[in-house]
């Protein structure tokens, strides 16, 4: 049977768009990827340092992220993957607690001993949940209180939910939190330590290698090519347009945030469909990246369980990847998820640094601004979909009501949370389906 080849326009050069285009192009289809930014990789884009390039927003993979490993193998980058045990901790009530292994949990004196046991049992029970659909009717807050008790929730989970989701904290689905606990439990070594994966030279290398594979197969990848309009032509084909010009193709796969897709379809799609694309809320992210002349601590990932501290996490990347990779600089990420209307999101880079310094100095009294060799601030408007109860009913289908128009966005990844591994999985899955179709 002879396969009918089609032309595809892929909107978005993140991992879902690139992985879909990679497989479509290698199957012989004519493919063009349009990326609005000047770089590929979406939230996994990189910037230059004194040594290797560095991710704009902190990234790692888990050892059970099999889809990303598959793409790494296909693009020939397996030798550049590093697997390391990591140190995880919690900052609570002015104290640092290590929480990398089950033994650390028993020493977590922020909780009475009986609550430490409850916390350990909670994580084990959560990882053994098989039917996530049974959790769709519960919020994460209610579910965690029920499993671990009010005190465990107050000390451990409530600050993390509030730090991650802010005004949405009490609305977040139990499914979202269940998946986080399950994923981390599946990435541990024999001693119970968490083992994580990084790519030498930044995750953007995988995005660029995937783009090179697309072009080698005859496809085209364009940066600085924002899309402002998607229109269906009279013959059923599709026209995608932007300041760079316009492009016609048989099919379109839009991988950007759903409200942005609604904007592109505004002039002709049905109002009820546009409303469904705008129904899911998104949080933005502000990420302050410090390049220091010395280390802040020995912890890689520090959860901040202090509601007075504006950042939900302090991630010292060079406690994972050696500082020698970055000209001897010690890399620290301070991350904050927040509504895009928040005052912090509106600040300029210098103001964000000045705002942050007193909090860093309070947490690490020895810290001095003289340690800072360089800093960068990165912002992402569409960083985290708000996963509410019954989220599965809010997700639009990958096949739109208009034949030839398909969606493959981070908001459609479920019950897992968005991430590069699942973006790759969904991109390759939709490509395989359309190739077979």
């Amino acid at each position: 049977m002879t396969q009918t080849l089609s032309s595809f326009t892929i909107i978005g050069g993140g991992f879902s768009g690139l992985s879909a285009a990679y497989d479509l192009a290698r199957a012989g289809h004519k493919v063009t990827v349009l990326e609005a930014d000047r770089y590929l990789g979406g939230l996994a884009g990189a910037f230059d340092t004194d040594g290797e390039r560095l991710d704009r927003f902190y990234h790692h993979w888990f050892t059970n992220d099999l889809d990303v490993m598959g793409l790494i193998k296909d693009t020939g980058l397996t030798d550049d993957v590093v697997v390391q045990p990591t140190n995880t901790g919690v900052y609570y009530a002015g104290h640092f607690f290590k929480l990398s292994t089950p033994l650390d949990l028993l020493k977590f004196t922020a909780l009475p001993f009986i609550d430490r046991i409850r916390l350990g049992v909670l994580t084990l029970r959560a990882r053994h949940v098989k039917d996530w659909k049974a959790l769709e009717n519960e919020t994460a807050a209610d579910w965690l209180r029920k499993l671990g008790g009010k005190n465990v929730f107050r000390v451990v989970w409530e600050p993390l939910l509030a730090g991650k989701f802010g005004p949405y904290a009490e609305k977040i689905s139990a499914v979202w939190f269940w998946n986080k606990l399950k994923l981390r439990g599946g990435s541990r070594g024999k001693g119970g330590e968490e083992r994580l994966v990084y790519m030498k030279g930044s995750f953007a290398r995988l995005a660029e290698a995937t783009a090179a594979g697309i072009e080698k197969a005859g496809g085209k990848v364009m940066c600085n090519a924002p899309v402002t309009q998607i229109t269906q032509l009279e013959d059923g084909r599709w026209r995608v347009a932007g300041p760079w010009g316009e492009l016609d193709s048989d099919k379109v796969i839009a991988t950007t945030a759903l409200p942005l897709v609604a904007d592109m379809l505004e002039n002709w799609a049905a109002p009820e469909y546009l409303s469904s694309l705008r129904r899911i809320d998104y949080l933005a992210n502000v990420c302050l990246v410090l390049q220091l002349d010395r280390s802040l601590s020995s912890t890689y990932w520090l959860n901040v369980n202090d509601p007075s501290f504006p950042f939900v996490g302090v991630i010292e990347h060079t406690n994972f990847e050696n500082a020698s990779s970055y000209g001897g600089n010690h890399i620290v990420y301070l991350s904050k998820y927040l509504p895009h209307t928040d005052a912090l999101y509106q600040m300029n880079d210098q103001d964000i640094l000045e705002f942050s310094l007193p909090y860093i100095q309070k947490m690490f009294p020895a810290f001095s601004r003289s340690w800072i060799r360089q800093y960068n601030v990165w912002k992402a408007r569409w960083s985290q979909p708000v996963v509410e109860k019954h989220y599965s009913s809010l997700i639009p289908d990958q096949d739109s009501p208009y034949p030839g128009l398909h969606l493959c966005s981070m908001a459609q990844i479920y019950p897992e949370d968005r991430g590069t591994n699942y973006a790759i999985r969904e991109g390759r899955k939709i490509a395989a389906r359309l190739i077979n179709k």
Side-chain angles (χ1 to χ4, degrees):
M1 181 178 177
T2 303
Q3 182 187 9
T4 301
L5 298 179
S6 301
S7 56
F8 287 83
T9 301
I10 313 288
I11 303 173
F15 275 103
S16 56
L18 290 172
S19 57
Y22 182 77
D23 287 350
L24 288 166
R26 293 196 305 162
H29 296 278
K30 182 180 179 182
V31 176
T32 303
V33 178
L34 302 174
E35 168 54 49
D37 220 321
R38 66 182 185 280
Y39 60 87
L40 298 170
L43 291 172
F47 68 103
D48 293 329
T49 70
D50 291 338
E52 293 179 354
R53 285 187 304 163
L54 183 65
D55 308 282
R56 284 175 164 82
F57 301 89
Y58 58 88
H59 276 84
H60 60 243
W61 290 309
F62 295 96
T63 55
N64 51 357
D65 282 344
L66 302 181
D67 294 281
V68 74
M69 299 303 178
L71 186 60
I72 288 170
K73 182 179 179 181
D74 289 348
T75 52
L77 296 177
T78 302
D79 290 344
D80 295 317
V81 170
V82 178
V83 181
Q84 300 271 26
T86 60
N87 292 320
T88 305
V90 170
Y91 178 79
Y92 176 76
H95 295 86
F96 295 89
F97 299 91
K98 186 180 177 184
L99 273 183
S100 297
T101 68
L103 182 60
D104 294 332
L105 175 59
L106 292 176
K107 299 177 181 177
F108 185 49
T109 55
L111 289 172
F113 185 76
I114 187 63
D115 283 333
R116 290 173 234 169
I117 300 300
R118 289 189 179 111
L119 178 57
V121 171
L122 181 155
T123 55
L124 289 174
R125 287 178 64 188
R127 290 170 192 160
H128 283 87
V129 170
K130 301 299 182 186
D131 182 14
W132 59 265
K133 294 179 181 177
L135 299 177
E136 276 218 292
N137 195 40
E138 288 193 78
T139 66
D142 288 342
W143 182 62
L144 292 166
R145 288 188 191 101
K146 182 173 66 178
L147 284 185
K150 292 181 179 179
N151 196 44
V152 171
F153 179 75
R154 178 183 62 82
V155 172
V156 178
W157 307 122
E158 186 174 28
L160 296 180
L161 271 173
K164 174 81 173 185
F165 288 104
Y168 298 100
E170 287 288 335
K171 296 176 63 176
I172 299 305
S173 169
V175 176
W176 184 89
F177 219 102
W178 160 77
N179 184 68
K180 290 294 184 185
L181 294 172
K182 178 176 69 74
L183 185 63
R184 298 193 85 108
S187 191
R188 294 189 179 274
K190 293 181 180 179
E193 78 283 1
E194 188 166 56
R195 299 181 66 82
L196 300 175
V197 183
Y198 189 68
M199 171 159 284
K200 300 283 288 185
S202 85
F203 284 60
R205 290 190 59 217
L206 179 57
E208 291 157 3
T210 307
I214 295 166
E215 293 183 328
K216 183 179 180 181
K220 187 175 182 180
V221 180
M222 295 171 55
C223 290
N224 296 307
V227 172
T228 56
Q229 192 171 45
I230 305 171
T231 308
Q232 190 168 31
L233 303 175
E234 289 185 4
D235 62 1
R237 299 179 78 237
W238 293 88
R239 175 165 295 163
V240 172
W244 45 271
E246 57 187 36
L247 176 67
D248 294 352
S249 60
D250 298 318
K251 296 178 173 66
V252 171
I253 303 176
T255 70
T256 55
L258 297 176
L260 295 181
V261 179
D263 292 345
M264 297 171 196
L265 297 170
E266 184 71 53
N267 290 339
W268 66 272
E272 58 270 20
Y273 185 62
L274 298 178
S275 295
S276 73
L277 297 181
R278 293 177 171 131
R279 169 61 184 83
I280 294 172
D281 291 326
Y282 289 72
L283 286 168
N285 183 271
V286 171
C287 195
L288 171 62
V289 187
L290 302 175
Q291 299 182 52
L292 308 178
D293 65 5
R294 68 199 77 182
S295 179
L296 270 183
S297 75
S298 61
T299 303
Y300 164 60
W301 187 290
L302 184 67
N303 287 316
V304 181
N305 288 43
D306 180 345
S308 69
F309 195 82
F311 296 98
V312 70
V314 179
I315 296 93
E316 189 158 351
H317 174 70
T318 38
N319 287 331
F320 183 26
E321 173 68 10
N322 198 281
S324 60
S325 298
Y326 309 103
N329 291 333
H330 295 262
I331 309 298
V332 178
Y333 292 87
L334 293 100
S335 175
K336 174 67 173 177
Y337 291 89
L338 69 181
H340 71 282
T341 53
D342 191 282
L344 181 61
Y345 189 77
Q346 305 298 326
M347 291 182 189
N348 62 37
D349 294 1
Q350 178 68 34
D351 288 345
I352 288 173
L353 176 67
E354 298 299 333
F355 169 82
S356 304
L357 287 175
Y359 294 100
I360 303 171
Q361 289 167 328
K362 180 181 178 182
M363 184 177 286
F364 304 96
F367 171 79
S368 166
R369 87 180 286 146
S370 64
W371 295 8
I372 302 175
R373 288 176 172 169
Q374 190 174 329
Y375 75 93
N376 298 86
V377 175
W378 307 107
K379 298 178 182 179
R381 165 63 186 91
W382 308 98
S383 181
Q384 172 69 57
V386 176
V387 182
E388 305 173 32
K389 291 195 303 181
H390 305 293
Y391 188 75
S392 60
S393 66
L394 303 179
I395 302 171
D397 194 83
Q398 284 192 338
D399 297 333
S400 80
Y402 310 102
L405 174 62
H406 307 277
L407 308 177
C408 188
S409 76
M410 71 164 76
Q412 294 165 284
I413 296 171
Y414 188 72
E416 302 87 2
D417 188 29
R418 89 296 181 251
T420 51
N421 181 68
Y422 301 116
I424 291 167
R425 181 190 70 185
E426 294 305 305
R428 303 193 88 167
K429 188 186 293 183
I430 195 171
R433 187 163 61 82
L434 294 177
I435 290 168
N436 293 330
K437 190 174 180 181

